[in-house]
Amino acid sequence: MKLIWSPENATKAYIDTVRSCEVFHESGVAELISAMAAGWNAEFIVETWSQGGVTATSIGLEIASRHTCARHVCVVPDEQSRSEFVAAMKEAGMAPEVLVGEPEEVMAGLVGIDFLVVDSKRKDFARVLRQARLSPRGAVLVCKNANSRSASSFRWRSVVDCGSRRVVRSVFLPVGKGLDMAHVSSSGGNLGSSKGENRWVKHFDQQSGEEHVIRK
């Protein structure tokens, strides 16, 4: 089974996040990410957070998880960050699961992630993406604060394309401080690439009514 988009879930999560994040100046980011997570029917949502960070995105992800009955985990680097995060989320009436430790190490124990949000301001964000154990049905990866890093220093293929996976599509959105997002294929699919590998293409002959499968 692959990730399937649900406009209804996306709309509900978006509206609920708008109501919950009115006090945040960067709520537009939270609303969009929440709608994305709910719209893709995420079952396992993971994010990274550090002390002093804005919790609007976390609130949005928690709202999305309620719409899709997903597991929502926030990875924080230390106990001080955990205390600050838990207090902020409690004030918002929410209590997502929190794990303490270096993100790239914690990721080893999180299997089946289908929606991952990392902060580009952290120097280790690329390593976190590489270590993520994604769901076999595919995943959506999001880098927030993407304006904080050099566009030339990061390529989605450098952290995703390997084995039976590839980046289906990626997009940069000038929302908030920049969102860089990628949709990763399900595992074991027909991946064909621009590296000269063979791809199968279907062609329908309107005159004969026959369907031809051609290798390119």
Side-chain angles (χ1 to χ4, degrees):
M1 180 181 296
K2 297 181 180 180
L3 289 174
I4 300 175
W5 180 257
S6 170
E8 182 179 359
N9 280 348
T11 301
K12 290 179 179 179
Y14 182 90
I15 293 173
D16 288 349
T17 304
V18 168
R19 293 169 177 167
S20 298
C21 295
E22 290 178 342
V23 297
F24 294 98
H25 296 298
E26 298 183 6
S27 60
V29 174
E31 293 151 5
L32 178 58
I33 292 179
S34 177
M36 292 273 299
W40 282 112
N41 290 296
E43 296 178 355
F44 190 8
I45 301 170
V46 176
E47 63 170 318
T48 60
W49 191 88
S50 300
Q51 184 182 5
V54 178
T55 56
T57 299
S58 302
I59 292 172
L61 290 175
E62 180 66 8
I63 289 172
S65 72
R66 294 178 180 181
H67 282 285
T68 64
C69 298
R71 179 187 178 190
H72 173 205
V73 174
C74 182
V75 180
V76 299
D78 49 49
E79 285 297 331
Q80 192 168 359
S81 293
R82 186 196 68 79
S83 297
E84 183 178 325
F85 178 80
V86 170
M89 294 299 286
K90 184 177 181 180
E91 186 175 348
M94 301 177 181
E97 183 178 349
V98 182
L99 297 179
V100 180
E102 290 302 318
E104 61 268 31
E105 297 177 0
V106 177
M107 287 294 168
L110 301 177
V111 182
I113 300 170
D114 53 16
F115 200 91
L116 173 62
V117 180
V118 300
D119 192 338
S120 295
K121 290 193 298 185
R122 288 183 58 93
K123 294 181 180 180
D124 61 357
F125 82 94
R127 292 202 301 275
V128 174
L129 293 170
R130 291 191 188 96
Q131 293 296 323
R133 303 178 69 180
L134 306 180
S135 166
R137 70 191 191 112
V140 174
L141 311 180
V142 180
C143 292
K144 64 181 183 179
N145 295 315
N147 290 337
S148 64
R149 59 171 167 75
S150 171
S152 62
S153 66
F154 176 77
R155 292 290 183 274
W156 280 111
R157 290 181 178 179
S158 69
V159 297
V160 176
D161 278 13
C162 62
S164 61
R165 293 188 184 276
R166 68 178 177 88
V167 174
V168 178
R169 64 180 64 86
S170 62
V171 63
F172 177 87
L173 298 178
V175 180
K177 295 181 180 179
L179 289 177
D180 199 356
M181 300 181 289
H183 178 199
V184 181
S185 68
S186 57
S187 59
N190 179 17
L191 301 182
S193 72
S194 58
K195 299 179 181 180
E197 299 175 348
N198 291 325
R199 293 186 296 123
W200 293 97
V201 179
K202 291 183 179 181
H203 171 69
F204 185 76
D205 190 321
Q206 295 183 349
Q207 293 183 343
S208 66
E210 296 178 342
E211 183 181 78
H212 304 280
V213 180
I214 305 171
R215 178 181 290 182
K216 297 186 67 176

